[in-house]
Amino acid sequence: MPSIELQSRRFTTDRLDTHAFVAGDPQKPALLLIHGNVSSAVFFDQVQAELARDYYVIAPDMRGYGKSQLEAIDATRGMADMSDDFAALLAHPDLGLAADAKVHVVGWSVGGNVALQLALDHGTRVASLTLLNPGSPKGFGGTKDVAGTPCYPDFGGSGGGTANPDFVAFLAAKERGSDAPVTPRNVMVNFYWKPGLALEPAREEAYLSAMLDTTAGATTYPGDVVDSPNWPGVAPGVTGMNNALSPKYLDQAGFAALGAGGPPVLWIRGADDQIVSDRSMFDFGTLGELGAVPGWPGAEVFPSQPMVAQTRAVFDAYQAAGGRYREVVFEDCGHGPHIEKQDAFLAELRTFLREQGA
């Protein structure tokens, strides 16, 4: 059966000029696919085409990513800029959704945090959540336990300064090569999925191009950088995605309080994820322990952030309050289950959606 064609469209709201790929029949149940950091909706290309046989599938680019308008991210609002953007998109008359229509939301990586925020702030539009290796509800970096206790009062070790400056420079220069360890291509093939995954060359190039469509700098990725007297010497600023992910501004533990009134949740993660895990290779606690960042003060002061354990604790509390969630772990899989295990992902998602009557 031929794939459904993805339509590249633009929707102007009072917040943003948003680019989105749209596919399928607007009369069918709607799915909203939210991409991760340093990526775009292009990373959903194949699964969007498959899902569009049975659903109306909308895959937008976040502000400053992909082909959407460059607009600063107010990090002090956590994920709220992005969730408000997408709520405005869902209300756009040209999208074809009824004013009271609920959508099933799929969020990958930081897109999972945006999805959680959408449920918190615009819950009347959310029918269900499917979260693929989502960032911790307690933010990214600088916390030491399941409760999300900060390692330092200034939340040092999180924010815009957590990004490798060489990677940011390569991103800004639109570097397509692989001659340095932290070029966008090498970061993608070694961390976006489990190393060794063989993609068709054209697909790899398309995903690399999607990474390079990220606006690198102080307003989008990674955000402004602030010095800290605490190891490793950086604290969160006030603009950009990595600052928005800082636990100084992002605490979504309140999702648990939605309880029985909240949407059902399917949590899918790869067992070998190196980005979002209890020993993330992007976390200063892990890097310090490994000697990659000198001066590590030790595990009592700055351990690896238990990202998966923090997520599970919030979802367990959500379940105890009457909410519903299911955790599914794909073995031999890294950070991109929808790419690495596409058939298994689609099977799990379709089963979950059928359970919700979609």
Side-chain angles (χ1 to χ4, degrees):
M1 185 182 298
S3 296
I4 303 294
E5 181 180 354
L6 308 184
Q7 300 176 34
S8 175
R9 297 179 59 184
R10 307 197 74 85
F11 302 89
T12 301
T13 71
D14 59 357
R15 293 188 55 79
L16 198 70
D17 180 17
T18 298
H19 170 264
F21 293 107
V22 177
D25 182 352
Q27 301 305 310
K28 293 181 177 180
L31 272 62
L32 178 70
L33 311 182
I34 307 177
H35 66 84
N37 205 356
V38 194
S39 67
S40 79
V42 169
F43 278 78
F44 285 117
D45 56 351
Q46 292 197 1
V47 296
Q48 183 177 12
E50 287 296 320
L51 290 166
R53 303 183 196 282
D54 303 301
Y55 301 96
Y56 181 43
V57 192
I58 307 143
D61 295 328
M62 286 190 274
R63 54 171 61 201
Y65 292 77
K67 305 300 183 185
S68 282
Q69 179 182 340
L70 170 59
E71 193 71 28
I73 296 171
D74 181 353
T76 66
R77 302 188 70 221
M79 295 293 110
D81 265 355
M82 283 66 68
S83 67
D84 287 352
D85 289 345
F86 293 150
L89 171 66
L90 294 175
H92 197 289
D94 290 347
L95 196 60
L97 296 177
D100 59 349
K102 290 191 172 188
V103 299
H104 299 273
V105 184
V106 178
W108 173 43
S109 193
V110 72
N113 295 104
V114 177
L116 283 170
Q117 200 66 46
L118 197 65
L120 283 164
D121 296 343
H122 306 281
T124 58
R125 300 308 304 265
V126 178
S128 72
L129 295 177
T130 298
L131 308 177
L132 310 177
N133 294 82
S136 167
K138 292 293 186 177
F140 196 102
T143 62
K144 63 173 63 178
D145 54 25
V146 171
T149 304
C151 299
Y152 304 112
D154 68 350
F155 294 87
S158 69
T162 61
N164 184 298
D166 291 334
F167 173 73
V168 177
F170 283 131
L171 198 65
K174 310 295 184 185
E175 174 60 53
R176 303 190 71 91
S178 57
D179 291 339
V182 293
T183 63
R185 185 185 301 275
N186 283 337
V187 170
M188 179 177 69
V189 301
N190 289 311
F191 294 100
Y192 279 35
W193 39 78
K194 187 174 180 179
L197 179 69
L199 294 179
E200 296 176 357
R203 194 178 182 197
E204 180 176 311
E205 294 304 316
Y207 291 165
L208 177 60
S209 294
M211 291 180 70
L212 298 179
D213 274 341
T214 302
T215 303
T219 62
T220 304
Y221 174 85
D224 59 327
V225 179
V226 174
D227 293 335
S228 170
N230 300 305
W231 185 89
V234 295
V238 296
T239 58
M241 181 61 79
N242 283 25
N243 289 312
L245 281 167
S246 167
K248 181 176 182 178
Y249 310 119
L250 182 68
D251 184 353
Q252 298 175 318
F255 179 78
L258 296 181
V265 176
L266 173 62
W267 174 24
I268 299 176
R269 61 183 184 87
D272 302 314
D273 187 1
Q274 299 181 83
I275 297 179
V276 178
S277 78
D278 288 344
R279 285 186 57 79
S280 169
M281 294 303 295
F282 287 57
D283 177 65
F284 275 121
T286 304
L287 295 173
E289 181 183 345
L290 295 175
V293 179
W296 182 55
E300 288 189 4
V301 175
F302 206 116
S304 298
Q305 179 185 351
M307 301 176 187
V308 173
Q310 289 174 345
T311 302
R312 188 176 297 114
V314 170
F315 288 162
D316 282 348
Y318 179 59
Q319 184 167 267
R324 292 180 290 149
Y325 93 94
R326 181 168 77 242
E327 178 182 356
V328 176
V329 181
F330 288 169
E331 299 298 329
D332 192 32
C333 180
H335 191 62
H338 59 299
I339 296 171
E340 299 171 73
K341 303 289 183 181
Q342 179 177 311
D343 290 345
F345 159 69
L346 288 171
E348 289 285 353
L349 178 59
R350 289 180 185 280
T351 297
F352 176 65
L353 293 175
R354 283 195 297 269
E355 292 170 352
Q356 315 318 317

